[in-house]
Amino acid sequence: MASRSYNPQEIEPRWQQYWDEKGIFQAREDSHKPKFYCLVMYPYPSGTLHVGHPLNYTLGDAVVRYRVKRGYNVLSPMGWDAFGLPAENAAIRENVPPAKFTRANIERMRQQIKRAGWGYDWSRELSTADPTYYRWTQWLFLQFYKQGIAFRKLAPVNWCPTCRTVLANEQVHSGECERCSTPVEQRDLEQWFFKMSAYAQRLLDNHKKLKRWPERVIRMQEEWIGRSEGARVDFTIAETGEKLPIFTTRPDTLFGVTFMSLAPEHLLVEKLIKGTNHEDEVMQTVRKMRQLGTAERERVELEKMGVDTGFHAINPVNGEKVPIWVVNFVLMAYGTGAVMAVPAHDQRDFEFARQFGLPIRVVIQPEDEELNPDTMLAAYVEDGVQVNSAQFDGMGNRQAKQAIVDWLAQEGKAEAAVTYRLRDWLISRQRYWGAPIPIVYCKDCGEVPVLEEDLPVLLPEEVEFKPTGESPLASCEEFVNITCPQCGGAAKRETDTMDTFVDSSWYFLRYCSPRDDRQAFSPDRVHFWMPVDQYIGGIEHATMHLIYCRFFTMVLNDLGLLDFDEPAQRLFCQGMLCKEAHYCPQCRWIPDELVEGDTCKTCGSTVTHEMAKISKSKLNVVSPDEIIARQGADALRLYLLSDAPPDRDQVWSDEGLAGSYRFLMRLWEVVETWQNTLAEVEAFQGPADEVPERLRTLHRLTHQVIKKLTEDLEGRFQFNTGIARIMELLSATRTVLNQGELSPEELAVVKESLEATVQLLSVLTPHIAEELWVKLGHEPSIMETPWPEFDEEAIQADEVEIIVQVNGKLRSRLTVPRGLAKEELESRSLAEEHIQEILAGKSPLRVVVVPDRLVNIVLGK
Ligand code: ANZ
Ligand code: ZN
């Protein structure tokens, strides 16, 4: 038979079609087999695969194929996170309806995904923008609404006074409207929320159930949830007698308070200064402060602004009156929006006090130096001893925290309190391309939920996308005007749509029964498949999505709709792919092709290079399509997994990709060259001690590599080192083959190694593996053959390390052949140099020998 060369373009589509026809990845529910649900984060249908996807999906595919071979019922679904801003922007820019734009993108990306050969059960495909899906997103909203978990309240939004519209955060550029450059204001509007703050503690407590989530993700979530222990302390406004509660983590510094700080949005601000003669002046500054968003105001480098209200607060510990200021670094959404300022012990307060000439009073002294408020260069934030603190003087400050709160609590002026950074989830978007919030407003009945049987609230497709800045839904009369479900009177629909993160908070449940038109998810199917056994996605989702979907699962558990409260057993987050990007001062970011050395080919300017996360904006993208067309999907997959541990960021290298391709060619050639010779023997299957002497090493290596890959696929995911070992195994096999003159017994062992190589690769580079499996004389599909088992006996090195003790103390180690006789072990130990020194000519009383483990030499006194 003429030798054929490796041609991925020919073999890959053929095997993809074969798997498809055989239904290899169709989920089955066989009650005699264990189940495995492998979920990869579904893509946003932007039009082309993002470079992050191939790594994510290749990892998932390896796990899926491994479980299929292990005989599990495997669920491996794929779908589309189809709502969102880019489709809406394309509609405005190019005048294509978002639905059409999205559908076309899905078609294209489905083809791309299929061509990469990742195995999915396409019969379960879903799109969140499909009414058959968002009907249930709306239904879930109604369940949340009934329980008070979905609710409406005033919240600040970005408001452009010129366009008279709400802006998304993305539409605000350095504090200005992207359309008209008017400074954006923060305005309070009625918005929809999910009560996620009520789940803050449970989200933290449940971390103990997530033992198989990356440590890094748990840390990030803890930070995001941001639990702080401290106290709520009530100050009193001197002029009005009103209470002014604050949250502090440092009640030990209460005697050091020299002023109070209010957030610019604090309700008291306007109330206090209304009608005073400095109202206008103060409000002007306050309005300026309100313009900045939360994130900007939290930055340490923020330029501090403040204004004195002229009012005072009474400190409950000593009755002292301190001025009340409004400052830009206090956030309304944290604690109570009011802060007791202690410049001596808080850096921001310190800087503020210095800037505005406010007093600084030290109340905690370090052990080894005396702080002087006039000469201090920074706040003292460490522990120390209380001073200027009345009866608490001399107490350690940690102890004082508790003591001061206890003392104030007796008079009802304070109580221990816990605060979280985690906010309620603002889910309403003043946007078109999302699931409409199923609520109507009736002038008689008020806020009324849409009846469940009237779902879905369909998103009208034929709407006008004129760039007025107003949401197209609000101007769509047929959508807005409706009759009230309660009284039949005239009513108006809510025109806000839901955040797309709501869609992705439950898609994994829908995959269990994606065509069910009677319920969001079938309890039986969910019972069978959930929780997800392995979730795989990018580290950029460590907080938002991975907290939202946990929150959803908990709420559904509380509603009795799920009997578990965490969505995924095991999580793996892959790192990001980076590549050199080039910047030309004239042409800005330019692609590789337009660079020669340090020169821009277009304009001749000197170019600078930078390693950056692969992104369209920096023109450093690599196209999976082109690579697959050139070197094939298998080479791409192998490269992505072989380059670095997949949880780290990796740097793209064309050279690395070429190396993976060469490896596959080499493997192909070995099988091509030797298939006839090997056809004459059966692969070796016997016990390790029947392996011909000359092939012991190869046999051992084979089983070591099987073990390594098995552990990676069971969840360790260190595929880069696993692949290195597979490569090592192939070279060892070639070396043996090239030595020639192998007996049939020896050939059998070679065949075992080569078949193992192909078997291991069947989950990493599945197309070539299928093809070579047939060449090695088997029926397809390799996917229907079991994963190779490793033989522990064979893995054990033929040599063992023996511990040599003298009077029970470790004195030396020896490496000897496994199974060495007792007498021989004893004499070798006694002859060892170091032991000879210790013996110093004496002969031992006794020698205890445990073969393959230790020798203990007992010496007399
Ligand atoms: C007085 C004090 C003295 C504070 C001191 C700190 C040091 P974490 O740990 O992040 O929870 N704070 C309270 N509410 C705030 C708000 N809405 N905006 C900005 N800052 C606020 O931070 C808690 C501390 O942040 C609180 O403890 C309060 O300042 C401030 F030597 O109270 B502290
Ligand atoms: Zn009504």
Side-chain angles (χ1 to χ4, degrees):
M1 189 164 79
S3 162
R4 290 197 299 133
S5 58
Y6 176 44
N7 178 4
Q9 285 341 306
E10 190 272 316
I11 64 173
E12 291 183 350
R14 180 153 49 76
W15 286 108
Q16 285 156 10
Q17 195 187 341
Y18 182 85
W19 297 324
D20 205 22
E21 283 163 7
K22 275 231 153 178
I24 300 276
F25 300 103
Q26 240 155 57
R28 276 170 274 266
E29 296 180 16
D30 176 342
S31 58
H32 301 293
K33 293 176 172 180
K35 68 94 185 176
F36 198 92
Y37 185 172
C38 180
L39 181 68
V40 291
M41 289 182 182
Y42 64 172
Y44 172 75
S46 61
T48 49
L49 278 189
H50 171 278
V51 278
H53 296 133
L55 176 55
N56 189 169
Y57 299 164
T58 299
L59 288 166
D61 190 60
V63 170
V64 164
R65 287 174 189 267
Y66 170 72
R67 294 290 165 175
V68 167
K69 287 170 73 69
R70 278 269 186 221
Y72 281 69
N73 291 304
V74 176
L75 176 54
S76 171
M78 180 45 75
W80 311 97
D81 188 13
F83 276 135
L85 207 57
E88 194 163 343
N89 288 342
I92 295 167
R93 213 174 44 235
E94 299 162 28
N95 203 28
V96 271
K100 198 173 161 204
F101 173 83
T102 306
R103 272 193 294 266
N105 287 350
I106 288 177
E107 290 304 319
R108 205 165 332 133
M109 288 173 73
R110 193 192 298 111
Q111 289 319 308
Q112 277 186 302
I113 289 177
K114 287 193 167 173
R115 179 57 190 85
W118 299 306
Y120 301 113
D121 180 350
W122 285 103
S123 72
R124 291 178 187 245
E125 180 181 357
L126 61 79
S127 159
T128 56
D130 195 302
T132 61
Y133 184 87
Y134 71 70
R135 168 183 182 185
W136 300 112
T137 307
Q138 292 170 336
W139 182 84
L140 289 167
F141 175 94
L142 292 179
Q143 309 315 305
F144 282 30
Y145 181 78
K146 274 191 251 172
Q147 294 299 315
I149 301 224
F151 65 97
R152 210 157 72 110
K153 71 172 178 199
L154 279 180
V157 292
N158 304 305
W159 175 262
C160 171
T162 307
C163 302
R164 303 183 50 75
T165 183
V166 169
L167 302 175
N169 285 334
E170 304 87 345
Q171 296 173 293
V172 182
H173 295 310
S174 44
E176 294 178 352
C177 171
E178 72 173 356
R179 285 208 191 89
C180 68
S181 299
T182 311
V184 168
E185 286 175 8
Q186 299 281 305
R187 262 226 185 164
D188 285 340
L189 271 196
E190 293 277 355
Q191 310 256 5
W192 286 96
F193 288 85
F194 285 160
K195 203 179 230 140
M196 194 161 64
S197 59
Y199 284 79
Q201 191 56 47
R202 184 152 163 210
L203 285 163
L204 284 177
D205 290 343
N206 257 17
H207 275 158
K208 67 177 179 298
K209 294 188 186 172
L210 305 182
K211 295 224 170 57
R212 299 196 296 177
W213 279 39
E215 214 20 60
R216 173 161 72 136
V217 172
I218 300 293
R219 289 286 93 74
M220 286 165 83
Q221 294 204 344
E222 278 172 356
E223 239 168 74
W224 187 266
I225 296 166
R227 182 182 203 271
S228 282
E229 275 179 42
R232 203 206 68 240
V233 180
D234 291 333
F235 282 64
T236 314
I237 296 175
E239 289 80 0
T240 68
E242 265 174 287
K243 260 198 201 170
L244 178 55
I246 59 100
F247 171 75
T248 179
T249 47
R250 298 290 309 274
D252 50 326
T253 64
L254 263 160
F255 287 89
V257 173
T258 57
F259 62 100
M260 295 293 281
S261 303
L262 297 184
E265 294 82 6
H266 200 286
L267 289 176
L268 269 177
V269 172
E270 277 171 73
K271 211 168 140 194
L272 283 182
I273 61 158
K274 190 149 226 139
T276 60
N277 52 14
H278 54 280
E279 178 179 349
D280 291 348
E281 179 200 325
V282 174
M283 280 314 291
Q284 213 179 347
T285 318
V286 168
R287 267 194 292 272
K288 225 185 261 167
M289 294 195 259
R290 285 181 185 170
Q291 280 171 12
L292 277 189
T294 326
E296 285 172 90
R297 292 200 345 221
E298 271 189 297
R299 281 183 21 234
V300 249
E301 323 88 75
L302 175 77
E303 195 191 325
K304 296 194 173 46
M305 280 169 66
V307 58
D308 190 348
T309 61
F311 287 78
H312 298 82
I314 302 175
N315 187 338
V317 294
N318 54 13
E320 220 174 83
K321 278 193 201 171
V322 295
I324 302 177
W325 284 63
V326 183
V327 310
N328 64 344
F329 56 85
V330 171
L331 307 171
M332 193 52 221
Y334 190 60
T336 64
V339 175
M340 63 181 225
V342 188
H345 304 292
D346 179 279
Q347 187 57 24
R348 288 188 301 186
D349 295 344
F350 179 85
E351 288 165 21
F352 191 84
R354 281 275 192 262
Q355 187 177 337
F356 291 92
L358 292 158
I360 297 175
R361 185 190 301 151
V362 172
V363 291
I364 291 160
Q365 284 285 9
E367 306 262 344
D368 48 356
E369 70 169 301
E370 179 123 346
L371 296 172
N372 176 349
D374 301 327
T375 54
M376 278 169 85
L377 295 174
Y380 178 71
V381 299
E382 311 290 313
D383 287 333
V385 177
Q386 298 289 138
V387 294
N388 297 322
S389 302
Q391 68 267 42
F392 301 97
D393 280 358
M395 196 183 263
N397 76 302
R398 285 177 177 246
Q399 205 191 337
K401 274 187 188 176
Q402 186 70 47
I404 293 177
V405 175
D406 288 347
W407 172 60
L408 283 176
Q410 284 169 11
E411 294 168 49
K413 290 179 179 166
E415 65 182 0
V418 173
T419 294
Y420 302 88
R421 280 204 177 270
L422 189 73
R423 306 263 57 92
D424 285 332
W425 176 8
L426 198 172
I427 59 133
S428 43
R429 296 289 177 275
Q430 292 73 37
R431 283 281 165 190
Y432 164 74
W433 191 233
I437 293 176
I439 293 286
V440 304
Y441 302 100
C442 165
K443 57 182 180 328
D444 295 327
C445 315
E447 184 182 292
V448 183
V450 172
L451 300 175
E452 287 181 14
E453 57 266 34
D454 290 343
L455 297 180
V457 174
L458 277 179
L459 197 58
E461 293 208 358
E462 298 302 315
V463 292
E464 187 68 41
F465 277 91
K466 39 183 194 298
T468 57
E470 210 188 26
S471 161
L473 274 187
S475 57
C476 182
E477 308 248 320
E478 314 84 274
F479 177 80
V480 175
N481 296 318
I482 187 200
T483 53
C484 169
Q486 229 154 56
C487 70
K492 289 195 183 304
R493 275 197 199 282
E494 170 65 69
T495 56
D496 284 359
T497 56
M498 285 185 245
D499 181 2
T500 55
F501 279 111
V502 177
D503 308 332
S504 53
S505 293
W506 73 283
Y507 75 120
F508 46 89
L509 298 171
R510 185 68 184 166
Y511 277 143
C512 297
S513 56
R515 306 288 170 253
D516 196 327
D517 58 5
R518 291 162 303 120
Q519 51 196 347
F521 45 84
S522 140
D524 290 345
R525 305 280 71 76
V526 162
H527 184 76
F528 187 88
W529 290 112
M530 287 294 293
V532 168
D533 295 276
Q534 177 73 64
Y535 197 10
I536 306 174
I539 188 72
E540 66 276 17
H541 295 294
T543 49
M544 317 247 279
H545 165 63
L546 287 171
I547 288 184
Y548 295 146
C549 69
R550 294 183 57 214
F551 160 69
F552 248 69
T553 308
M554 285 176 188
V555 175
L556 295 176
N557 175 242
D558 285 350
L559 295 179
L561 293 167
L562 296 178
D563 56 8
F564 52 90
D565 70 352
E566 283 294 338
Q569 299 265 350
R570 193 192 280 268
L571 171 71
F572 184 83
C573 288
Q574 87 260 22
M576 278 175 317
L577 214 45
C578 305
K579 185 169 172 275
E580 191 155 75
H582 318 282
Y583 190 82
C584 162
Q586 290 272 325
C587 316
R588 321 201 58 185
W589 295 103
I590 53 177
D592 283 349
E593 307 85 79
L594 296 182
V595 186
E596 190 140 20
D598 289 339
T599 320
C600 171
K601 284 192 193 167
T602 316
C603 70
S605 310
T606 303
V607 170
T608 52
H609 313 280
E610 175 191 308
M611 194 54 72
K613 184 188 152 191
I614 290 186
S615 76
K616 273 191 199 152
S617 60
K618 294 200 170 166
L619 298 186
N620 61 343
V621 289
V622 281
S623 148
D625 279 354
E626 278 172 34
I627 293 166
I628 289 174
R630 249 187 348 251
Q631 282 112 321
D634 282 339
L636 175 61
R637 289 160 167 256
L638 188 66
Y639 166 63
L640 288 171
L641 296 183
S642 64
D643 198 43
D647 53 348
R648 305 266 187 76
D649 289 352
Q650 21 180 317
V651 174
W652 178 269
S653 135
D654 291 333
E655 194 33 57
L657 175 66
S660 294
Y661 182 74
R662 276 197 305 276
F663 168 76
L664 294 178
M665 275 208 326
R666 206 149 52 230
L667 172 66
W668 180 277
E669 279 163 19
V670 171
V671 176
E672 273 287 339
T673 313
W674 295 95
Q675 56 180 338
N676 292 337
T677 317
L678 293 173
E680 287 157 26
V681 296
E682 286 287 319
F684 178 78
Q685 281 187 341
D689 56 10
E690 283 175 18
V691 174
E693 188 68 36
R694 231 179 9 148
L695 289 171
R696 287 263 161 98
T697 317
L698 181 65
H699 182 69
R700 182 161 71 237
L701 181 62
T702 304
H703 287 266
Q704 284 172 340
V705 180
I706 297 173
K707 183 176 183 188
K708 169 75 175 85
L709 257 289
T710 306
E711 288 167 356
D712 286 331
L713 289 159
E714 288 283 343
R716 203 174 49 186
F717 280 74
Q718 299 289 312
F719 293 109
N720 59 322
T721 48
I723 289 169
R725 304 235 52 199
I726 294 179
M727 294 182 170
E728 192 187 321
L729 180 58
L730 180 66
S731 357
T733 309
R734 284 168 89 204
T735 308
V736 171
L737 280 168
N738 291 335
Q739 281 164 1
E741 291 172 49
L742 294 165
S743 68
E745 292 75 26
E746 290 172 328
L747 271 179
V749 176
V750 172
K751 186 160 182 178
E752 181 204 18
S753 300
L754 201 53
E755 288 194 349
T757 306
V758 172
Q759 277 287 358
L760 300 179
L761 286 170
S762 72
V763 303
L764 305 174
T765 57
H767 312 86
I768 190 174
E770 286 279 14
E771 193 74 16
L772 297 181
W773 189 242
V774 174
K775 283 183 190 296
L776 287 169
H778 301 281
E779 289 292 314
S781 154
I782 196 170
M783 288 307 303
E784 292 171 319
T785 64
W787 180 252
E789 299 288 346
F790 55 87
D791 175 2
E792 264 311 332
E793 288 287 310
I795 290 172
Q796 297 303 328
D798 286 350
E799 292 183 325
V800 283
E801 194 183 62
I802 303 289
I803 288 169
V804 185
Q805 298 173 324
V806 176
N807 289 340
K809 256 197 176 160
L810 174 65
R811 292 298 187 181
S812 183
R813 294 170 199 272
L814 287 177
T815 304
V816 301
R818 177 182 295 281
L820 193 66
K822 276 191 169 189
E823 306 71 44
E824 182 65 21
L825 267 178
E826 179 174 333
S827 64
R828 285 205 202 177
S829 303
L830 292 172
E832 205 272 332
E833 208 176 330
H834 191 59
I835 300 295
Q836 284 275 304
E837 268 172 44
I838 297 171
L839 291 179
K842 283 182 267 178
S843 35
L845 283 182
R846 223 160 11 103
V847 180
V848 186
V849 180
V850 184
D852 291 341
R853 299 223 6 239
L854 70 83
V855 173
N856 186 17
I857 301 163
V858 184
L859 272 185
K861 289 275 149 88

